[in-house]
Amino acid sequence: MTLAIDPARIPDAARVAPVVQRRWLAGGELRTWEGPLEEVRAVVLHPGAGGAPAAPAALGGYPLLGEAEALHALDCACRAWDQGRGPWPSAPVGERLAALTAFADAMGGVRETVVRLIMWEIGKTRGDAEKEFDRTVVYIRDTVAALKDLDRTAARFQAVDGVVAQVRRAPLGVALCMGPFNYPLNETFTTLIPALAMGNPVVFKPAKLGVLLLEPLLELFARCFPPGVVNTIYGDGRVVVSPLIRSGRVDVLAFIGSSKVADLIRAQHPKPHRLRCVLGLEAKNAAIVTRHADLDQAVKECVLGSLSFNGQRCTALKMLWVERSLHAAFAERLAAAVDALRLALPWEAGAQLTPMAEPGKPAAMQALVDDACARGARVLNRRAGAVDATAFFPALVDGAAPGMRLWREEQFGPVVPLAAFDDLEQPLAFVRDSDYGQQASVFSRDPAEVARLVDGLASQVCRININAQCQRGPDVFPFTGRKDSAEGTLSVSDALRVFSIRSMVAARDNPASHAILGDIARERRSAFISTDWLF
Ligand code: G3H
C-alpha cells in the first residue's frame, strides 16, 4: 500500500506551484542568491514510472548560503541595533507595535499559499495548517496588546524608601531565532515576534525542513520593518550559524530543537555568559492512567495526545503508564481507536495521520519498534508499520521497559510505548529519572489520587494536565520545562520579558528630583523617562 498520488489527480484546492527560492533578506533588501540550492522534496509521493518505487514529489529549493552571506546578514542586524541607538531599538513602542500590526494584517494575503505549502512540505493536515497560521496571527495581535499593558505599567514612577524610580524593559541586542520544522510558522514566530516587539533586530534561520512556506513572508518583512530589523539566512548550520555565534555579536539565541544542538551552538560563543538563551528542547511527556480513570476519556485524550500530527509535537504524550487492573481494557480500546484512524494525504477530508517530512522517518520508527520487540515488548495494533517512503502507521508498543530505546529516547513520531504499573510510585520514578521535564497528564476521577500525583509531579515537570492530553496552548499560559526540556519561559507576556532587560532611572525622592523628572516628562525630553502610555 502507498499514499502515492498521480499528479493529475491532485485536487485544484491542494495544488502548489514549485518554489525555487533564490531570495533572502538582508538589510531591507531582497537579495538574489546565484549559488547552490538545497533541494526540497514534498512529503507527497508520486508513483514511479515503469514499476519504480513511488518517490517524493520535487517541490523546489532554497539557498544554501555561505559564511559571507550569513555574516552580511549579521552585519545588517548589528547596524540596525547600533548599540541600542538604531531607529528600531530606540523607536517609541507605538511605532514598533504599528509595524507588527501592519505585518499581521498583511499576512492574511498569503494565508492560502502558506497553508498549502505547510501541507506539502511537512505534511500537516489542512485543518492543522490553517490552525497554525491563524494561531500565529492571533499571537502577534496578543503580543501587541501585552506590550501595551507593559508600557502602561512602565509609565509609572515608584517611590520606595527615599528613592523615586522608573523601570522600563529595554531590548537586549541582536537576536538569532532558529525555528523547528514541526511548527515552522507558529513556534518560530513565538520567539521572532516578541524579539522584534521589544526592539531587538533579528537574524532568522528556519529549520532544514519547512522552509519554502516562509518564502511568501519575505516581502512582508521587507515592507513592514525598517532595513536590517529582519534578516533571513538559510543553509547548513555549521556554515551559517557557527560564524555568527563565534563572532560574539549575537546577544540572544532563541532555538527550538534538540538539546545536543543547542549545547553545540552555545558553546561556540566566545563569552557564553553574554548569550541569553531561550530554548525549547526535547520532552518525554508521560500519561498516567489509573484504575479510577474514565476509560473513554483517557483513550480519546491519549490518542490525540500521542498521535496528533503523527506524534511530531514536543508536547506529545511519549509514554503511556496504565494501572495493571485497567491495562488489558485500555490496551484493547486504544489499539482499536488507533487502527480506526485515517491515514491520508494532508488535504483529504478526515485525514488524521499523514506522511512525514524527515527523510527515512518510517525506517527510524521501525527501528525503535524492533529494538523494543527484541527486548520483550510486543506490538498491540494490527495496522502498525511502514506504509511507504514517507508514511508509517502508528505502532502501539506494549511492555516498555528499561534498556529499550523507547524508554529514554524522545521518539518524535508515531510510536507509542505503554507500560503497566502496580503502584503510582513506578510512573513517578520514571518521570523523576527521565532526562526531560516538560509536562505530564494524569487520568483519574479520584481527587485524592489526582492530588498525590500532582504533588509528585509538580517538582519534575512544568504543566500537569488533569484528564487531558499535554499541550502548549492557550498561549497566555507559561510554556517551559525542566532538565533537558527548556530554558526560559514563553507565553505571550513572558516572551516579552525574555527578550528584554529591565533598565531603570533612580533619584533621591526629594523636590529637586521631582522638578527634574517632572520637567523631562512634561516637556517630553526623553524617550525613556516618560509618563505617556499607549491605549
Ligand atoms: O512542538 C511543540 C509545540 O509547541 C506544541 O504545541 O501543544 O500546541 O501542539 P501544541
Side-chain angles (χ1 to χ4, degrees):
M1 187 222 169
T2 173
L3 295 181
I5 183 167
D6 187 324
R9 289 184 39 237
I10 294 163
D12 285 349
R15 284 182 186 279
V16 287
V19 184
V20 180
Q21 177 183 340
R22 292 208 165 265
R23 302 192 300 177
W24 59 293
L25 176 62
E29 201 188 320
L30 281 165
R31 305 169 72 97
T32 303
W33 169 246
E34 303 292 357
L37 299 180
E38 173 80 19
E39 190 184 2
V40 179
R41 305 210 147 245
V43 295
V44 178
L45 305 180
H46 286 166
L59 205 53
Y62 62 79
L64 274 174
L65 299 181
E67 178 173 336
E69 289 73 27
L71 286 170
H72 175 70
L74 179 63
D75 280 344
C76 293
C78 290
R79 272 201 295 278
W81 170 242
D82 192 17
Q83 295 188 315
R85 297 168 304 178
W88 184 253
S90 58
V93 172
E95 265 178 42
R96 296 205 298 261
L97 294 187
L100 287 170
T101 303
F103 181 75
D105 292 345
M107 277 179 76
V110 296
R111 182 178 186 270
E112 180 59 21
T113 312
V114 174
V115 163
R116 288 190 193 187
L117 285 167
I118 293 178
M119 292 194 287
W120 279 80
E121 226 178 330
I122 60 160
K124 221 163 244 196
T125 61
R126 174 172 272 278
D128 283 350
E130 288 176 348
K131 236 185 270 165
E132 175 163 356
F133 190 96
D134 296 340
R135 175 181 178 183
T136 305
V137 175
V138 170
Y139 193 94
I140 301 175
R141 300 203 193 283
D142 287 351
T143 298
V144 167
L147 186 47
K148 284 183 183 170
D149 276 350
L150 209 56
D151 191 55
R152 273 194 285 274
T153 315
R156 251 173 7 102
F157 278 91
Q158 307 169 41
V160 182
D161 288 346
V163 175
V164 62
Q166 187 170 39
V167 184
R168 279 193 184 280
R169 299 206 76 99
L172 291 163
V174 170
L176 172 62
C177 294
M178 298 174 66
F181 86 85
N182 64 331
Y183 279 87
L185 195 63
N186 187 256
E187 286 244 342
T188 306
F189 277 44
T190 58
T191 62
L192 184 79
I193 295 298
L196 291 172
M198 296 314 291
N200 307 282
V202 166
V203 176
F204 162 38
K205 181 190 176 294
K208 194 165 190 278
L209 305 164
V211 181
L212 300 182
L213 59 94
L214 296 159
E215 204 272 347
L217 298 169
L218 289 186
E219 247 172 71
L220 311 188
F221 282 132
R223 198 187 327 142
C224 298
F225 297 99
V229 171
V230 181
N231 310 277
T232 61
I233 56 171
Y234 308 89
D236 182 342
R238 279 162 303 192
V239 177
V240 296
V241 172
S242 297
L244 307 195
I245 299 291
R246 281 200 303 262
S247 77
R249 292 189 294 155
V250 173
D251 303 292
V252 191
L253 169 67
F255 173 79
I256 318 282
S258 77
S259 50
K260 196 169 139 214
V261 174
D263 286 346
L264 283 174
I265 298 175
R266 188 197 330 233
Q268 295 178 56
H269 195 287
K271 293 188 177 180
H273 58 271
R274 284 200 183 185
L275 185 67
R276 168 146 333 165
C277 290
V278 188
L279 310 175
L281 308 170
E282 307 98 293
K284 189 85 183 171
N285 295 344
I288 305 174
V289 184
T290 81
R291 67 181 192 282
H292 301 296
D294 172 332
L295 191 55
D296 285 339
Q297 183 184 38
V299 167
K300 186 171 152 241
E301 292 285 335
C302 286
V303 171
L304 264 182
S306 56
L307 292 172
S308 302
F309 192 38
N310 313 298
Q312 300 168 115
R313 296 159 60 224
C314 60
T315 47
L317 288 173
K318 295 181 181 125
M319 178 73 186
L320 308 184
W321 281 95
V322 189
E323 193 158 358
R324 199 170 302 277
S325 58
L326 192 72
H327 175 266
F330 181 85
E332 190 186 328
R333 298 274 276 278
L334 189 72
V338 169
D339 276 347
L341 292 174
R342 172 140 203 257
L343 169 65
L345 293 170
W347 55 82
E348 288 177 340
Q352 291 162 303
L353 302 163
T354 48
M356 296 178 288
E358 288 176 286
K361 189 80 178 200
M365 294 294 99
Q366 191 58 53
L368 285 172
V369 175
D370 292 345
D371 169 78
C373 291
R375 292 165 206 277
R378 72 185 180 103
V379 173
L380 280 179
N381 57 317
R382 203 175 32 83
R383 296 179 66 192
V387 170
D388 59 27
T390 54
F392 184 92
F393 199 89
L396 299 174
V397 179
D398 195 22
M404 296 175 187
R405 288 177 56 202
L406 272 174
W407 185 262
R408 292 200 78 84
E409 281 180 34
E410 180 191 50
Q411 61 270 42
F412 210 76
V415 177
V416 187
L418 273 83
F421 67 86
D422 300 294
D423 186 318
L424 292 181
E425 203 32 50
Q426 289 171 271
L428 289 175
F430 170 85
V431 174
R432 284 196 302 270
D433 292 346
S434 168
D435 286 331
Y436 308 113
Q438 191 199 62
Q439 299 191 18
S441 289
V442 165
F443 293 93
S444 169
R445 286 170 294 188
D446 174 355
E449 191 175 58
V450 171
R452 180 176 162 200
L453 285 168
V454 167
D455 289 356
L457 291 164
S459 57
Q460 297 300 318
V461 299
C462 291
R463 174 166 166 166
I464 303 147
N465 304 277
I466 299 173
N467 296 316
Q469 62 153 322
C470 297
Q471 63 179 45
R472 175 177 179 149
D475 289 326
V476 294
F477 288 125
F479 179 56
T480 184
R482 298 167 185 267
K483 299 191 261 188
D484 293 349
S485 282
E487 180 169 328
T489 301
L490 294 174
S491 72
V492 171
S493 55
D494 284 308
L496 296 176
R497 292 178 170 80
V498 165
F499 286 98
S500 59
I501 187 162
R502 280 177 298 177
S503 227
M504 60 185 270
V505 285
R508 297 210 183 283
D509 189 3
N510 61 30
S513 304
H514 298 173
I516 292 177
L517 294 170
D519 177 275
I520 294 173
R522 228 176 7 259
E523 302 302 325
R524 296 195 164 87
R525 294 182 197 278
S526 160
F528 191 94
I529 302 172
S530 159
T531 48
D532 295 343
W533 72 80
L534 293 166
F535 286 100

